[in-house]
């Protein structure tokens, strides 16, 4: 008789067994209004070519060009919401800062990381945004840190079993209703692709067993970044989704996360971030953020020339 695995949190059980978990209405109406205003302003600047850190239509993985495509197809993402040079009013910059380091986000992250995780284990990672393109665009089926060319045995070696702890957690938090862009195959985060999945078109619109993750404003989905998934972006449907990740010091120390995080260029500016606004919540909040940053900086110092996870 197989012994059933015991999990310290229902959210962790969902993530470990299914590869994702959704928390509804994480934000207050006031928080939504403030973040949506900041996000809309930054997106407009990025579309106009006034913010160089973007994800351009036609290119799925980093590195991306620093200007929108000349053909008018637009962008599908905005990078580096914590960058000190973000061309926004301080209040808008502080809104992004307070959300990323908020107790609501970090308390969930600690539940999804190894049991017993404390503030001293957390590592600052990525905070970006996914937006509506000007031309319909889709990402192919992929795992974020395992190439499509990997054999079944290679996948088996790199995927983390459901019974083992994970050293990072990734999330999508929608600021608008009816976000249906994230499509994934539940439970595919712990197994190699099936023969049918391997033979499928990279942009297969109806993969067997797929699920469309439906988010409304304020909902957040945490998911394993090596679950089989894709993004579907409609030019006719608004999307404003904050896209972040938090790591665990054990993963950073082993170098397991370095490439996936540092390939985005966060190490170029993170030491200049100003966390003073977090002091409004007490020195503990600011000190927690400073510690998370220091562990990211340390990961960068210990892992040079990491390259890029995937091509395309």
């Amino acid at each position: 008789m197989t012994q059933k695995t015991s999990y310290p949190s229902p959210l962790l059980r969902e993530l470990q067994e299914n590869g994702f978990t959704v928390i509804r209405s994480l934000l207050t109406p006031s928080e939504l209004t403030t973040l949506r205003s900041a996000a809309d302003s930054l997106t407009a600047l990025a579309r106009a070519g006034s913010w160089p850190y973007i994800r351009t239509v036609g290119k799925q993985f980093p590195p991306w060009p620093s200007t929108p495509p000349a053909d008018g197809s637009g962008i599908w993402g905005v990078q580096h919401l914590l960058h000190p040079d973000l061309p926004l009013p301080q209040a808008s910059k502080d809104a992004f800062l307070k959300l990323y380091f908020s107790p609501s986000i970090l308390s969930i992250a600690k539940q999804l990381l190894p049991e017993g995780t404390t503030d001293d284990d957390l590592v600052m990672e990525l905070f970006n945004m996914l937006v509506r393109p000007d031309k319909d665009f889709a990402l192919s089926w992929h795992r974020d840190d395992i190439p499509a060319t990997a054999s079944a045995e290679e996948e088996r070696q790199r995927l983390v079993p459901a019974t083992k702890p994970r050293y990072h957690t990734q999330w999508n938090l929608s600021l608008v209703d009816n976000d249906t862009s994230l499509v994934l195959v539940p439970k595919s985060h712990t197994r190699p692709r099936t023969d049918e999945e391997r033979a499928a078109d990279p942009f297969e619109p109806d993969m067997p067993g797929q699920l469309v993750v439906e988010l409304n404003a304020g909902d957040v989905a945490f998911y394993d970044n090596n679950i089989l998934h894709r993004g579907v972006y409609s030019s006719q449907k608004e999307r404003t989704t904050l896209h972040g990740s938090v790591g665990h010091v054990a993963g950073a120390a082993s170098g397991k996360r370095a490439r996936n995080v540092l390939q985005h260029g966060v190490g170029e500016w993170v030491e200049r971030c100003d966390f003073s606004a977090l002091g409004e919540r007490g020195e503990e909040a600011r000190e927690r953020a400073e510690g998370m940053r220091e562990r990211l900086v340390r990961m960068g110092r210990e892992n040079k020339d990491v390259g890029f996870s995937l091509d395309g």
Side-chain angles (χ1 to χ4, degrees):
M1 183 176 178
T2 303
Q3 185 176 1
K4 193 171 184 179
T5 303
S6 176
Y7 296 100
S9 158
L11 295 180
L12 180 60
R13 174 182 289 278
E14 287 187 38
L15 180 75
Q16 296 285 69
E17 293 185 350
N18 298 320
F20 73 103
T21 184
V22 176
I23 297 94
R24 304 293 178 185
S25 303
L26 187 73
L27 302 179
T28 67
S30 176
E31 289 171 328
L32 271 172
T33 298
T34 300
L35 285 164
R36 181 63 193 270
S37 175
D40 287 349
S41 296
L42 182 58
T43 300
L45 289 167
R47 285 182 174 138
S50 298
W51 180 244
Y53 304 109
I54 53 179
R55 300 185 180 194
T56 53
V57 169
K59 195 168 194 314
Q60 181 161 337
F61 305 115
W64 289 280
S66 59
T67 56
D71 64 4
S73 55
I75 63 174
W76 61 277
V78 183
Q79 299 285 89
H80 303 326
L81 302 193
L82 299 180
H83 197 297
D85 299 332
L86 212 61
L88 293 176
Q90 191 62 47
S92 295
K93 296 165 72 170
D94 289 348
F96 289 140
L97 177 72
K98 291 175 181 178
L99 185 277
Y100 181 83
F101 290 107
S102 67
S104 53
I105 289 290
L106 297 183
S107 64
I108 296 170
K110 284 188 283 189
Q111 292 181 60
L112 301 179
L113 293 169
E115 187 173 359
T117 294
T118 69
D119 288 348
D120 292 337
D121 297 313
L122 299 178
V123 181
M124 178 182 173
E125 289 195 349
L126 304 173
F127 192 24
N128 304 311
M129 179 166 55
L130 308 174
V131 302
R132 173 190 58 77
D134 293 317
K135 177 183 177 182
D136 290 353
F137 177 63
L139 308 182
S140 64
W141 287 102
H142 67 284
R143 307 184 194 272
D144 282 0
D145 200 33
I146 302 176
T149 54
S151 68
E153 183 55 32
E154 288 171 331
E155 285 188 297
R156 191 174 291 109
Q157 290 176 2
R158 295 178 63 173
L159 293 171
V160 181
T163 55
K164 299 293 185 180
R166 282 157 171 74
Y167 293 107
H168 69 277
T169 186
Q170 180 166 299
W171 48 269
N172 285 3
L173 195 162
S174 183
L175 300 182
V176 299
D177 287 338
N178 196 28
D179 179 343
T180 56
S181 292
L182 177 61
V183 186
L184 50 77
V185 178
K187 303 183 185 298
S188 61
H189 63 304
T190 59
R191 60 159 177 81
R193 286 164 293 167
T194 65
D195 290 343
E196 189 171 9
E197 289 165 348
R198 285 180 175 277
D201 185 280
F203 298 93
E204 170 58 52
D206 191 22
M207 187 73 79
Q210 76 173 35
L211 180 142
V212 177
V213 179
E214 300 180 8
L215 301 176
N216 285 321
D219 295 346
V220 59
F222 282 77
Y223 60 102
D224 187 309
N225 75 332
N226 275 330
I227 196 169
L228 192 60
H229 67 287
R230 69 190 295 245
V232 180
Y233 292 74
S234 169
S235 60
Q236 305 303 309
K237 184 177 179 181
E238 203 56 58
R239 188 183 197 200
T240 307
T241 300
L242 304 180
H243 179 57
S245 66
V246 176
H248 187 283
V249 68
S254 67
K256 292 178 180 178
R257 280 291 285 166
R259 180 175 55 189
N260 219 229
V261 174
L262 298 175
Q263 66 178 342
H264 289 269
V266 63
E268 298 171 6
W269 50 263
V270 69
E271 291 187 85
R272 295 193 291 116
C273 287
D274 179 9
F275 294 155
S276 58
L278 297 174
E280 298 171 9
R281 295 174 173 169
E283 280 304 295
E284 182 181 350
R286 186 188 60 77
E287 290 172 359
R288 176 172 55 225
E290 295 282 5
M292 291 176 65
R293 170 172 56 187
E294 175 52 36
R295 288 183 280 278
L296 169 60
V297 171
R298 189 189 314 150
M299 178 170 69
R301 289 173 180 158
E302 295 172 353
N303 296 273
K304 305 291 186 181
D305 302 320
V306 293
F308 297 94
S309 296
L310 303 171
D311 296 322

